[in-house]
Amino acid sequence: MSVISLLSVRSFVEFKEIWQSVDFDQLGITFGDGTNAASMSGSLVFSGVAFAYELQSCPAPAATHHIFCNADLTDIRSAVHIDLGAAVASGRTVPAIVQVMLELGEVLGRNLAIKAVFWSPAAVVSGYDYYAEAVVQYAQGAAFPALLCVDFDTSKTGIVQTTGLASLCGQELTFEHAQMPTHEAMRYVVRLVHDLATQGAYDRELEVPGLKADEVVLVTPGLEDGKVNASLVTRKEAINSPQ
């Protein structure tokens, strides 16, 4: 399954015509392996990274979470699916390559009148306008656009569990926040996700400064199971905790 799908309300015939009318050279996109704009699948290069793509007639994919997107996507009729090319497939957890893929989605979406964007590792679909704004801000130095690429399960009291984060860094995060309201806990979770997505997996236990002077986040990676646990404690509790 491709990592990202750009979803359109156009029929496949109309979508194909729009695709073939795009000025890819102007967008900094070139084709490789004998592919050209008339090809419905193949290889393209953007910002020095090779991607595989495929245009397809299809309904909306099954998403578990919708971000600034009309939950009724029954009008979706076609899509272009994008994945890393074979030569850079191992770059799925390289922050710079992930950023280029996000930016490719923004550039193509803008020129293909895309309605929504589906990120398959987390089964998250976002409205294109929100997606584009978040990606552009990230490229300009803002926080990693976690809501586009990660699903957050808050169904268990005092716990936030991610899905899809491992595709970005190799680890899923479990954050324990005791009696803190979930909306406040998410401030800590989003910051941890930013660190993981932009700097890579945690490889040792450490203390991360909290958002207040008297607190820290204890981070404990499970080096063999692809998980990392984090909990919010006071500095006094951290000092007294067994090492």
Side-chain angles (χ1 to χ4, degrees):
M1 178 181 291
S2 59
V3 173
I4 186 173
S5 297
L6 308 179
L7 311 177
S8 172
V9 300
R10 308 277 185 171
S11 70
F12 181 70
V13 171
E14 292 175 313
F15 189 57
K16 180 175 64 174
E17 291 175 350
I18 295 174
W19 172 271
Q20 293 173 340
S21 70
V22 170
D23 186 344
F24 289 100
D25 288 339
Q26 185 178 32
L27 301 179
I29 296 173
T30 58
F31 293 89
D33 298 334
T35 308
N36 56 54
S39 304
M40 296 301 97
S41 64
S43 173
L44 60 81
V45 178
F46 178 68
S47 294
V49 180
F51 296 93
Y53 75 90
E54 180 180 6
L55 274 67
Q56 187 179 57
S57 174
C58 64
T64 59
H65 203 55
H66 295 74
I67 303 296
F68 292 97
C69 179
N70 183 354
D72 181 10
L73 294 176
T74 56
D75 56 352
I76 296 299
R77 302 170 66 188
S78 54
V80 55
H81 307 294
I82 301 169
D83 204 347
L84 289 175
V88 291
S90 61
R92 291 180 183 275
T93 58
V94 177
I97 291 179
V98 173
Q99 180 173 340
V100 172
M101 177 178 279
L102 289 167
E103 292 175 354
L104 176 61
E106 185 274 325
V107 168
L108 285 177
R110 174 167 24 98
N111 286 272
L112 296 171
I114 292 300
K115 176 176 182 178
V117 180
F118 179 68
W119 189 269
S120 67
V124 170
V125 64
S126 53
Y128 173 74
D129 289 343
Y130 174 76
Y131 174 92
E133 180 180 4
V135 170
V136 169
Q137 289 179 350
Y138 178 48
Q140 295 173 346
F144 180 80
L147 295 181
L148 302 179
C149 309
V150 181
D151 189 23
F152 300 94
D153 182 357
T154 60
S155 61
K156 295 182 180 179
T157 302
I159 294 177
V160 180
Q161 172 70 54
T162 67
T163 299
L165 181 58
S167 71
L168 301 171
C169 67
Q171 291 177 332
E172 294 293 353
L173 171 67
T174 298
F175 181 72
E176 299 179 15
H177 57 90
Q179 301 304 313
M180 175 183 288
T182 299
H183 71 275
E184 292 185 20
M186 285 301 299
R187 296 169 60 206
Y188 298 83
V189 172
V190 168
R191 192 173 72 167
L192 289 169
V193 168
H194 172 84
D195 290 346
L196 285 159
T198 59
Q199 300 178 33
Y202 292 114
D203 60 2
R204 58 187 174 86
E205 295 184 7
L206 74 161
E207 297 178 4
V208 178
L211 298 178
K212 299 178 181 178
D214 65 339
E215 63 186 19
V216 297
V217 177
L218 299 180
V219 175
T220 307
L223 299 180
E224 297 182 355
D225 61 5
K227 297 179 181 179
V228 58
N229 296 313
S231 58
L232 181 65
V233 300
T234 64
R235 289 190 178 276
K236 181 177 180 180
E237 291 173 323
I239 291 173
N240 294 330
S241 65
Q243 298 298 318

